[in-house]
């Protein structure tokens, strides 16, 4: 249950209410809320005088639910605002590998009229012996591209020890699929106001995914987007299976902007353009596509990254699809 507290109520009274119902107090500029386990369906009448409004919820998808907030959340990232007719097309290499390649990526983004660059400086790899990312040096290169080209920087945290470091450099913090369950990361991101891009763990249900999102929302950060990037199924011909049904569910039932990532789902560059067009046709808030100046030598996710020429071709084909579903690409 979500309980909205009236204005100008002493903090001690809100705390007293929260203590009676295992509630989490969520403070924002517009309201003070107490969020209780969803099993609670009615509030204690002793607190009538401090309560403005209540929402009884049917599951622990609460702050993220359209039943609580019908409109898609407005999150600003440079010239982009979610919950409007804009779609953020965020591209870049899987990882920052050096200044020259990052600059080539930035130039492609600027030439395309796009507004953000996405690349990892901390890579969460499946093997400890493969490229782990450039760390802070990579973050500095991303910041350089922001300063030089006016691009917003989207980059990921790998573990809870460097969340603050990434927050210092990034405009959007990506929480990767493998980190979706990391409560240290989720709570640290909940204490910030920076936009967060939470990727779905590849073995998680939609319920578990949105409940992970609730850690960030209930921590006090309303600036959160969800990213479907493929789930593990019985299929082995593609790297993962892009759950577009899941994306439709999230669009319908949650107030969080939805971003789709066809690159990690497919795992092979050949399928990415078709999937990207299907994603754009869904009218989502964002699209994430991995693009590398020379995918053949990429240090991570080499097989799925598009080269610049393929991206340019794909981008031209996305424009009429975006227009057909009433969206502009930024
Ligand atoms: C990435 O975006 O490069 C990445 C590591 O993705 P995921 O966490 O979805 O595997
Ligand atoms: Mn990648």
């Amino acid at each position: 249950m979500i309980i909205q507290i009236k204005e100008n109520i002493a903090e001690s009274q809100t705390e007293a209410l929260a203590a009676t119902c295992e509630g989490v107090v969520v403070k924002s500029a517009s309201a003070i809320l107490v969020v209780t386990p969803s099993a609670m369906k009615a509030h204690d009448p002793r607190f009538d005088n401090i309560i403005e409004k209540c929402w009884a919820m049917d599951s622990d998808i609460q702050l993220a639910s359209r039943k609580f907030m019908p409109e898609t959340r407005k999150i600003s990232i440079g010239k982009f605002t979610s919950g409007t007719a804009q779609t953020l097309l965020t591209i870049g290499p899987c990882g920052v590998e050096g200044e020259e390649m990052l600059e080539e990526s930035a130039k492609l983004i600027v030439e395309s009229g796009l507004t953000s660059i996405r690349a990892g400086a901390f890579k969460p790899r499946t093997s400890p012996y493969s490229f782990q990312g450039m760390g802070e040096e990579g973050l500095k290169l991303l910041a350089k591209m922001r300063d030089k080209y006016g691009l917003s920087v989207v980059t990921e945290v790998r573990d809870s020890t460097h969340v603050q470091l990434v927050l210092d450099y990034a405009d959007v913090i990506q929480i990767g699929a493998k980190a979706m369950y990391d409560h240290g990361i989720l709570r640290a991101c909940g204490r910030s106001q920076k936009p967060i891009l939470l990727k779905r763990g590849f073995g998680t249900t939609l319920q578990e995914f949105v409940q992970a999102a609730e850690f960030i929302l209930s921590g006090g950060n309303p600036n959160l987007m969800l990213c479907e990037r493929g789930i593990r199924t019985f299929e082995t011909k593609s790297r993962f299976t892009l759950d577009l049904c899941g994306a439709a569910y999230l669009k319908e039932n949650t107030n969080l902007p939805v971003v789709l990532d066809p690159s990690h789902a497919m795992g092979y560059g050949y399928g990415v353009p078709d999937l990207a067009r299907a994603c754009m046709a869904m009218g989502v808030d964002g699209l994430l596509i991995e693009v590398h100046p020379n995918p053949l030598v990429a240090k991570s996710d080499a097989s799925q990254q598009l080269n610049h020429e393929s991206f340019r071709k794909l981008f031209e084909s996305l424009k009429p699809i975006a227009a057909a579903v009433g969206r502009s690409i930024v």
Side-chain angles (χ1 to χ4, degrees):
M1 166 172 256
I2 301 176
I3 303 169
Q4 185 178 340
I5 306 298
K6 281 184 179 162
E7 278 179 38
N8 303 318
I9 296 296
E11 207 170 323
S12 57
Q13 285 184 276
T14 304
E15 296 292 346
L17 162 60
T20 61
C21 54
E22 292 169 47
V24 177
V25 180
V26 183
K27 293 178 185 151
S28 74
S30 54
I32 294 182
L33 306 169
V34 175
V35 187
T36 78
S38 52
M40 182 172 151
K41 301 296 179 199
H43 70 268
D44 185 334
R46 283 178 302 162
F47 292 98
D48 274 352
N49 58 330
I50 71 162
I51 293 174
E52 178 76 38
K53 195 172 172 187
C54 290
W55 294 260
M57 306 301 287
D58 26 73
S59 86
D60 278 347
I61 294 179
Q62 301 205 61
L63 297 169
S65 170
R66 286 207 194 271
K67 281 190 192 135
F68 165 62
M69 187 188 287
E71 301 296 320
T72 302
R73 289 168 188 262
K74 301 264 187 297
I75 298 165
S76 292
I77 302 163
K79 294 188 189 103
F80 167 77
T81 305
S82 64
T84 66
Q86 291 182 325
T87 293
L88 180 73
L89 175 53
T90 190
I91 68 164
C94 178
V96 180
E97 297 172 6
E99 183 161 357
E100 208 179 306
M101 59 82 75
L102 200 62
E103 180 123 26
E104 278 186 63
S105 305
K107 284 181 177 159
L108 173 72
I109 294 165
V110 172
E111 162 205 312
S112 308
L114 299 174
T115 56
S116 65
I117 183 163
R118 194 220 72 114
F122 290 95
K123 296 307 302 173
R125 306 305 300 285
T126 310
S127 161
Y129 309 117
S130 46
F131 178 61
Q132 306 292 304
M134 291 177 73
E136 187 168 7
E137 210 188 320
L139 294 175
K140 285 187 177 151
L141 291 176
L142 284 165
K144 201 166 172 181
M145 297 308 133
R146 173 179 45 227
D147 297 343
K148 197 162 171 187
Y149 297 101
L151 300 171
S152 305
V153 169
V154 184
T155 193
E156 68 188 300
V157 288
R158 186 177 58 211
D159 61 66
S160 57
T161 62
H162 56 241
V163 180
Q164 193 51 51
L165 182 67
V166 180
L167 279 167
D168 290 343
Y169 288 94
D171 298 299
V172 179
I173 307 290
Q174 177 179 312
I175 302 176
K178 293 171 197 144
M180 189 213 83
Y181 275 126
D182 186 321
H183 287 198
I185 293 177
L186 295 174
R187 287 183 189 278
C189 289
R191 287 191 290 272
S192 166
Q193 292 294 297
K194 279 254 164 96
I196 309 292
L197 180 65
L198 178 67
K199 287 188 148 197
R200 180 181 182 183
F202 44 75
T204 64
T205 63
L206 293 163
Q207 181 75 30
E208 290 162 340
F209 180 30
V210 187
Q211 283 182 194
E214 292 278 337
F215 276 94
I216 295 169
L217 297 172
S218 66
N221 188 351
N223 301 311
L224 175 62
M225 299 179 289
L226 299 177
C227 178
E228 159 58 29
R229 45 76 72 209
I231 53 174
R232 183 148 282 163
T233 65
F234 51 80
E235 188 51 71
T236 56
K237 299 293 186 203
S238 55
R239 190 179 182 194
F240 295 97
T241 297
L242 187 61
D243 184 10
L244 294 184
C245 298
Y249 169 86
L250 296 171
K251 275 182 71 183
E252 179 70 15
N253 294 286
T254 80
N255 53 41
L256 299 173
V258 174
V259 176
L260 287 169
D261 169 0
S263 299
H264 290 85
M266 185 68 208
Y268 301 99
Y270 77 84
V272 170
D274 279 346
L275 284 171
R277 285 185 280 270
C279 293
M280 184 59 85
M282 283 192 76
V284 285
D285 289 270
L287 215 57
L288 184 168
I289 299 172
E290 285 196 337
V291 182
H292 190 288
N294 185 0
L296 293 175
V297 300
K299 291 185 176 171
S300 57
D301 288 347
S303 61
Q304 71 198 27
Q305 302 199 60
L306 300 183
N307 63 29
H308 288 194
E309 198 193 322
S310 308
F311 174 74
R312 285 191 188 96
K313 217 169 132 208
L314 164 62
F315 187 47
E316 285 312 308
S317 75
L318 288 175
K319 290 176 186 171
I321 299 172
V325 294
R327 303 190 77 84
S328 62
I329 304 173
V330 295

